[in-house]
Amino acid sequence: MTTWTFILKNALRNPRRSVLTVSSVAVSAALLTSMMTLQRELTVPPESEGASLRIIARNKVSLVQPLPARQLAEIERIPGIVAVTPFTYFGGQYNDEEFTSFAQFAVEPRRFRSLLVEGRVSGGDYDAWEKDRTSCMVGRDTMKRYGLKVGDRMKFRGTFYPCDLDLRIAAVFEGTVDDRGVFFHHKLLDELTGDLGTVGTWYLRVESAEKVPGVIAAIDGRFANTAAEVRAESERAFQMGFVGMLGNVAALIRTVNGVIVFTLALVSASTMSMTIRERFREMAVLKALGYKRRDLLGFILAEGFGLSALGGAVGIGGAWAAWTLLDIQRLTGGIFIVFEVTPRIMATAGVVAALLGIVASLGPAISVGRMSVVSGLKTLD
Amino acid sequence: MNTPPPPTSTKKDPIVRVRSLSKVYRQGDIDVTALNAVSVDIQPGEFVALMGPSGSGKSTLLHIVAGIDRPTSGEVEVQGINVGNLDESDLAEWRNQYVGFVFQSFNLIPVLTAAENVELPLMLTRLGRAQRREQVRAALELVGLGDRMHHRPDQLSGGQQQRVAIARALVTDPVLVVADEPTGNLDAKSATDVLGILASLARDAGKTVIMVTHDPKAAAYGTRSLHLEKGEIVP
Amino acid sequence: MGTGGEAWGWLGLAGGVAAAFGLMSWLARLAGLPIQYNLRNVVVRWRSSVATVLGIAAVVAVFVALRAMARGIEASSASTGDPDNLLVVRKGSQAESGSLVTREQFRIIESFEGLARNAAGRPVISAEVVAIISSARSQGPGEANALVRGVTASGMELRPQVRLVEGRWFEPGRREVVVARSLSRRFRDFGMGGEVKAGRARLRVVGHFDGGGSAFDSEAWMDADEARAVFDREPYSSLLMRPTDPAAAKVLAARIEGDRRFSLRAENEVEYYSKQTMTAKPIKYIAAVLGVAMSVGAVFAAMNTMYASVAARTREIGTLRVLGYSRRAVVACFMVEGACLSAAGGLLGCGLARFTNGLATGTLDFQSFAETVFQFRVTPDLMGLGLAFAVAIGLAGSLLPALRAARTPVISALKSA
């Protein structure tokens, strides 16, 4: 026998209790992992290499406020810009579903081509899309989700625009951070709405990252004090703006995480102390046999740490497996896209679980240390 | 210390010297005197039976001699070592080397086999694995359980469990074996076996055995009986 | 708070709690033991009891607080509008901000029969413009969207639940805005006298209003025609009108929806707002998922405590069995104990969640795409739900231990040291 077999045998002495302890730690660790992932999903938009070169220019009033189409010529004249396209959120309802989770944008295909930095066309033909005014280019994920193929039609009911769309799928793209979008001709939107002469936003690509601040300043400055003032920002800043609009949600999730950690600590602490307390007599016997306080402390901590580490591993591993293997997009109706359980999140949850095991066994360990052999022997089982 | 030598002293070098040992503890609002200035010498190889009604202080005396309880005043010397001078950690080490314990309710660890239970005190020594195994086997054979090494306590009878406990007490080869009502939970046949083993430990192996009991038949196995009443040794 | 309905709710909750306690006492009596026996056992094992109670309390608190948040969002849309009003928006639009009603359509509908008339003899109808402005938050960096509503004079008349609490109403023809007081706390420039930027235009805050807990508490109001100018909009967003009576309302709605020229939808204002609950949905979803997942953990905790309690009382159970108590009595006894523990946890959790009641906060409304402010609403029925949830956790957690206790053989129970 080694000290480790002794500890192991002790930990497994009451299998039901050990299973309960490990499972409750596992459930809490899985929850913690998932909540941290949720928080990350909401507050850290996915990064892409091209995002640092792209700029979104919106109306300074708000994102919803349109911009005059005539601004295009002015923007094109600003040096450092590789390409610029109108980029208008259509906000349609697909096939009358209650909540459509993928966005549709009206763009100018000819100009849009060089903005699709990370993406590539994996089905159909970009040129075909560019040529056909009533066709669209669709993200691979949306194609898969609805079982669509090139040549199929997609119908949208306008919730923002007083018109409906009936589009033929001409091309499929993939490789961007969000392969769900549907892109169609801005000309079609203009026709259907009776040529409003407006666009939603301008989407543009800059030659190099160093030129981005200059281009942003140039755009903002060019339209200052005009009827439609413009706010240009990098794609990243634009996404972070959305996060800011969510308000106190991040703080709320943090609070919930805190409560979960608290509950986790409580449950495992109570179980650990129950486990130790019902062995007070044995601990006294070990003391009588010559085991020192620190030996017993070591046994208890090792057991507590071991149980919670196992629970943590099961919970974190389970959460990782679940969120990696499950189709999170389909599961949440497309509300969440990536839901990536990063190594950092797993490490954090693991450290929390392991620390809790140690903290939870400290209390009983201290009372065992204080206990006198005689009083310990008197304890009834 | 100028206490006169106790009358029971017969030889020159006792293995256990107890001098004016007192123990007072509080129970609720009142002080209870468990031991009142007890002095006694015990010689090597003696099998002492501590007798007396419950509350007489016999268990307290045993606990203090064995180093699991501390006196309020007085001294205990075992083989020339003043037990009271040892700190918590040294005391634990001392118990491991000098004292073997046998309890009324056996106090075996239920998840460990007989051999593993016996091995427990050896885990604290520097002995290697093979050596430990050898000593465990010897101790279990001595108590007649060489064939039960891999049984868990719940697979053994009460008498067998107590014999495992005795093997555990012996395995470190201590000079002192203390037993607190070792036959209290046993049937007559098992009690006889256990007492026989304890007696032979004193007689054949030269161990000093101190046993608390209130059974005169058990006490008869001893070489000497000490009677306690109200915390004092009575003749 | 303190409305009549809520008072009844509290009374109902108290009644429910009393009934639950009565039920537990009855169960305990069924076991043949006074409930004091269970309560004292819970107290004796206070360490594990406290841990279990706190664990369940945490679960219930999170669940109730999240539901209270969803309830708050729902409550603001549910308490919006006047049942006598008819709201007209574009067919297919999901929010007023995505709706269009042309000036031509307004002129035609204004002349329809069945509209109530005010003292001046004019039809009670307000053509409104809904726009979104991006403005600096009052706390922290960043901007958020705020909903600006351009209303005509009838707009105020049609919404009696909105009342001015500070300053004055805007004057038609001036770039003035009156902001809901609860919204004004969340934006930097929305205080009295503040200057709100809408692109190049500047709007001066001349008053604050109180929307009485309705969706209007998330809005800023200005003159409709000024709004059209500032936001460079030709059409209106929606029409709000008051028909003379419900029968007239039906006729009017049918006439507007049936008119081929329009493609408009007419709906009772209250009904329209009560359907704007999309934002509350994901929160309810999260509350359900978290509630279930956390309760699994809490069930484990309760099971641990109860198993330990059963193990420690083997002799006691044996004694009870010897005295003539049946297995069923033993089961009932431990179930009652589990229920007591969890009820205490539930009460504590509800008490903690109650602290969030009235807490004002805001988030992005998915439909209007603007900041919506709301208050956590911990209502009696939610607390009742939390309590029931807690007791369910306790019963689930004590069932297996109770069955184990019932299986304890009489003899071995008495033998065990």
Side-chain angles (χ1 to χ4, degrees):
Chain A
M1 182 174 65
T2 63
T3 310
W4 291 110
T5 36
F6 182 49
I7 291 171
L8 190 66
K9 284 194 173 189
N10 264 326
L12 300 177
R13 134 178 340 216
N14 188 336
R16 189 188 330 112
R17 152 114 11 116
S18 309
V19 166
L20 283 175
T21 309
V22 169
S23 337
S24 58
V25 174
V27 168
S28 314
L31 259 178
L32 187 65
T33 309
S34 307
M35 291 300 287
M36 283 196 286
T37 307
L38 173 66
Q39 187 173 352
R40 182 172 179 277
E41 179 88 2
L42 286 177
T43 55
V44 186
E47 292 226 40
S48 61
E49 41 172 333
S52 55
L53 292 177
R54 285 190 295 252
I55 290 175
I56 292 175
R58 62 156 168 94
N59 193 308
K60 206 171 177 185
V61 171
S62 79
L63 185 59
V64 183
Q65 194 72 16
L67 287 168
R70 58 178 140 68
Q71 287 181 338
L72 179 62
E74 308 263 4
I75 294 176
E76 273 186 318
R77 233 174 282 146
I78 294 170
I81 295 175
V82 177
V84 53
T85 172
F87 195 73
T88 303
Y89 177 73
F90 181 71
Q93 253 179 318
Y94 175 62
N95 274 358
D96 288 331
E97 50 179 30
E98 197 192 347
F99 170 65
T100 297
S101 62
F102 60 94
Q104 315 90 43
F105 296 99
V107 298
E108 241 176 75
R110 185 175 54 82
R111 298 166 172 276
F112 185 67
R113 198 190 285 258
S114 55
L115 279 148
L116 202 63
V117 178
E118 307 89 345
R120 60 197 161 78
V121 174
S122 60
D125 182 19
Y126 196 99
D127 295 330
W129 173 46
E130 195 179 318
K131 274 181 212 132
D132 181 358
R133 229 164 10 90
T134 62
S135 70
C136 62
M137 179 172 72
V138 182
R140 187 200 51 183
D141 290 348
T142 296
M143 295 291 287
K144 238 173 47 183
R145 181 170 167 198
Y146 295 98
L148 296 168
K149 53 189 191 305
V150 173
D152 286 352
R153 305 200 79 89
M154 294 186 90
K155 285 183 181 151
F156 297 94
R157 200 150 67 142
T159 62
F160 283 157
Y161 286 88
C163 61
D164 298 341
L165 299 176
D166 182 0
L167 307 167
R168 188 183 62 85
I169 301 171
V172 181
F173 72 93
E174 65 176 77
T176 67
V177 288
D178 181 1
D179 288 338
R180 294 181 302 166
V182 170
F183 296 95
F184 65 99
H185 286 245
H186 211 286
K187 275 210 183 81
L188 180 69
L189 182 66
D190 290 338
E191 271 173 34
L192 291 170
T193 53
D195 208 352
L196 297 170
T198 61
V199 304
T201 59
W202 299 111
Y203 195 32
L204 42 115
R205 184 172 150 207
V206 182
E207 277 169 17
S208 63
E210 304 88 69
K211 291 197 175 159
V212 167
V215 170
I216 287 176
I219 296 172
D220 287 354
R222 177 63 195 81
F223 300 106
N225 291 314
T226 66
E229 293 197 323
V230 171
R231 158 74 65 86
E233 40 192 5
S234 70
E235 193 175 308
R236 184 94 186 144
F238 179 80
Q239 289 166 329
M240 293 308 289
F242 268 90
V243 173
M245 282 193 275
L246 285 178
N248 307 348
V249 170
L252 187 83
I253 295 175
R254 258 197 301 279
T255 311
V256 171
N257 279 349
V259 174
I260 291 173
V261 171
F262 168 78
T263 316
L264 175 77
L266 213 63
V267 169
S268 40
S270 122
T271 315
M272 284 311 297
S273 66
M274 262 190 277
T275 310
I276 303 306
R277 255 167 245 287
E278 71 185 19
R279 295 215 301 264
F280 251 39
R281 188 194 181 90
E282 262 172 54
M283 294 291 171
V285 172
L286 288 178
K287 260 192 172 176
L289 294 181
Y291 281 85
K292 290 176 194 170
R293 221 176 270 185
R294 61 159 189 272
D295 298 323
L296 300 182
L297 191 79
F299 287 154
I300 296 169
L301 285 184
E303 193 178 326
F305 176 80
L307 286 178
S308 60
L310 180 62
V314 169
I316 296 164
W320 175 81
W323 299 131
T324 307
L325 298 178
L326 291 178
D327 187 348
I328 184 69
Q329 269 195 45
R330 177 162 303 187
L331 213 65
T332 59
I335 296 174
F336 300 119
I337 321 163
V338 188
F339 222 77
E340 184 192 359
V341 182
T342 61
R344 191 196 165 90
I345 288 174
M346 292 197 278
T348 311
V351 167
V352 168
L355 272 183
L356 283 176
I358 292 173
V359 170
S361 39
L362 267 183
I366 288 169
S367 33
V368 164
R370 281 213 196 112
M371 160 193 77
S372 82
V373 181
V374 175
S375 69
L377 285 174
K378 281 187 194 142
T379 326
L380 284 177
D381 293 321
Chain B
M1 286 282 123
N2 44 17
T3 324
T8 43
S9 164
T10 50
K11 283 186 192 165
K12 256 205 140 181
D13 284 323
I15 193 154
V16 179
R17 288 164 66 99
V18 175
R19 289 291 174 274
S20 358
L21 203 62
S22 295
K23 174 77 179 181
V24 181
Y25 60 89
R26 283 190 78 79
Q27 193 165 48
D29 288 338
I30 45 166
D31 285 333
V32 178
T33 305
L35 286 177
N36 187 12
V38 169
S39 297
V40 66
D41 283 355
I42 294 170
Q43 305 300 329
E46 269 195 286
F47 181 1
V48 177
L50 288 178
M51 300 196 58
S54 67
S56 62
K58 54 187 192 306
S59 288
T60 308
L61 178 60
L62 186 81
H63 290 156
I64 296 175
V65 168
I68 58 172
D69 203 354
R70 299 261 188 194
T72 311
S73 66
E75 287 184 8
V76 174
E77 246 177 45
V78 176
Q79 248 190 3
I81 297 170
N82 189 328
V83 178
N85 288 347
L86 301 175
D87 67 18
E88 242 345 275
S89 157
D90 289 342
L91 193 61
E93 225 161 88
W94 176 82
R95 281 196 301 266
N96 184 245
Q97 287 171 24
Y98 284 78
V99 190
F101 284 88
V102 180
F103 305 94
Q104 177 176 0
S105 49
F106 327 138
N107 282 337
L108 299 177
I109 311 292
V111 287
L112 302 181
T113 63
E116 287 169 340
N117 264 292
V118 174
E119 196 184 347
L120 268 181
L122 291 182
M123 305 281 294
L124 294 168
T125 64
R126 287 165 195 275
L127 294 178
R129 185 185 265 258
Q131 228 173 334
R132 293 203 304 259
R133 200 175 304 160
E134 189 45 44
Q135 267 176 254
V136 167
R137 208 170 48 81
L140 277 168
E141 271 168 7
L142 191 72
V143 297
L145 288 174
D147 55 341
R148 291 283 190 277
M149 289 187 49
H150 302 298
H151 288 60
R152 269 187 285 110
D154 57 7
Q155 297 166 315
L156 297 171
S157 73
Q160 288 171 329
Q161 287 189 48
Q162 193 61 301
R163 275 145 66 194
V164 173
I166 294 174
R168 182 176 66 184
L170 289 176
V171 76
T172 51
D173 196 23
V175 295
L176 196 60
V177 173
V178 299
D180 193 351
E181 302 271 14
T183 57
N185 282 3
L186 297 181
D187 59 86
K189 167 73 176 65
S190 303
T192 310
D193 290 350
V194 163
L195 288 165
I197 294 170
L198 287 175
S200 84
L201 284 180
R203 193 178 56 233
D204 308 329
K207 308 276 176 217
T208 304
V209 181
I210 308 175
M211 171 177 76
V212 162
T213 184
H214 52 238
D215 177 8
K217 269 187 263 171
Y221 281 79
T223 56
R224 175 154 63 121
S225 289
L226 289 176
H227 288 265
L228 277 94
E229 249 169 59
K230 293 177 181 163
E232 292 177 23
I233 293 181
V234 294
Chain C
M1 301 303 107
T3 58
E6 184 138 320
W8 282 111
W10 288 115
L11 213 61
L13 179 65
V17 170
F21 191 77
L23 184 76
M24 266 188 256
S25 307
W26 179 74
L27 260 175
R29 199 108 48 78
L30 186 77
L33 291 162
I35 197 163
Q36 287 89 331
Y37 168 78
N38 297 112
L39 291 178
R40 273 181 209 147
N41 268 313
V42 167
V43 173
V44 165
R45 314 185 60 79
W46 65 270
R47 262 182 253 262
S48 56
S49 298
V50 164
T52 308
V53 165
L54 288 179
I56 292 176
V59 175
V60 171
V62 167
F63 176 72
V64 172
L66 282 174
R67 285 298 297 259
M69 188 173 161
R71 179 63 60 88
I73 295 173
E74 286 174 340
S76 78
S77 45
S79 62
T80 305
D82 190 315
D84 295 337
N85 292 349
L86 210 55
L87 183 69
V88 173
V89 291
R90 179 178 71 79
K91 236 175 221 166
S93 69
Q94 282 175 328
E96 275 180 274
S97 47
S99 163
L100 293 174
V101 179
T102 63
R103 303 180 70 187
E104 171 78 1
Q105 290 167 338
F106 170 46
R107 207 182 43 70
I108 296 170
I109 292 170
E110 196 181 25
S111 66
F112 278 178
E113 270 173 44
L115 281 174
R117 298 196 173 259
N118 62 13
R122 300 202 30 86
V124 185
I125 181 167
S126 173
E128 315 202 327
V129 176
V130 172
I132 307 284
I133 59 166
S134 185
S135 200
R137 282 197 183 282
S138 59
Q139 268 152 16
E143 295 190 337
N145 287 345
L147 189 145
V148 177
R149 180 185 295 277
V151 294
T152 51
S154 300
M156 272 81 92
E157 198 180 327
L158 281 158
R159 295 182 178 90
Q161 68 191 135
V162 172
R163 64 195 169 81
L164 194 72
V165 289
E166 199 177 1
R168 58 173 173 83
W169 283 111
F170 55 84
E171 274 176 30
R174 297 178 75 162
R175 299 211 160 163
E176 291 173 345
V177 64
V178 180
V179 184
R181 186 152 56 176
S182 48
L183 189 70
S184 71
R185 297 192 185 102
R186 302 188 61 84
F187 288 88
R188 192 188 65 199
D189 301 329
F190 284 11
M192 282 296 289
E195 196 175 63
V196 182
K197 291 185 199 111
R200 204 171 40 157
R202 301 280 181 276
L203 306 171
R204 177 144 324 264
V205 179
V206 295
H208 284 160
F209 66 78
D210 184 300
S214 69
F216 303 127
D217 272 331
S218 307
E219 298 185 353
W221 287 5
M222 62 183 293
D223 179 63
D225 288 324
E226 280 308 307
R228 285 181 42 239
V230 168
F231 298 107
D232 191 24
R233 278 180 71 121
E234 180 58 24
Y236 296 105
S237 302
S238 61
L239 304 178
L240 185 67
M241 64 197 75
R242 177 163 302 155
T244 48
D245 55 73
K250 263 194 191 133
V251 174
L252 201 55
R255 188 166 172 195
I256 293 169
E257 292 195 345
D259 198 316
R260 286 276 176 91
R261 293 169 294 174
F262 291 167
S263 185
L264 293 175
R265 186 159 59 100
E267 202 171 353
N268 184 290
E269 191 189 11
V270 174
E271 273 167 33
Y272 177 86
Y273 278 102
S274 65
K275 283 187 221 152
Q276 303 284 78
T277 55
M278 210 169 86
T279 307
K281 262 188 199 160
I283 296 169
K284 274 176 154 175
Y285 178 75
I286 289 176
V289 169
L290 267 183
V292 168
M294 286 184 78
S295 66
V296 172
V299 165
F300 289 149
M303 268 167 109
N304 253 333
T305 308
M306 294 308 294
Y307 268 127
S309 180
V310 169
R313 278 149 64 191
T314 307
R315 226 182 346 179
E316 203 173 297
I317 298 164
T319 311
L320 290 175
R321 296 291 313 279
V322 169
L323 293 178
Y325 286 90
S326 67
R327 281 173 197 274
R328 206 185 316 159
V330 172
V331 172
C333 169
F334 279 93
M335 299 286 282
V336 167
E337 212 166 300
C340 285
L341 266 181
S342 55
L347 277 176
L348 183 62
C350 287
L352 289 175
R354 178 78 186 152
F355 279 112
T356 66
N357 191 42
L359 207 70
T361 186
T363 189
L364 182 71
D365 185 287
F366 299 147
Q367 273 159 326
S368 70
F369 204 62
E371 179 99 342
T372 174
V373 294
F374 60 91
Q375 295 185 333
F376 280 69
R377 288 177 59 97
V378 186
T379 50
D381 63 315
L382 272 187
M383 289 174 81
L385 193 65
L387 267 183
F389 187 41
V391 172
I393 291 173
L395 291 179
S398 51
L399 180 64
L400 288 176
L403 290 177
R404 180 180 172 75
R407 278 199 306 269
T408 309
V410 183
I411 298 301
S412 78
L414 284 179
K415 265 189 193 162
S416 136

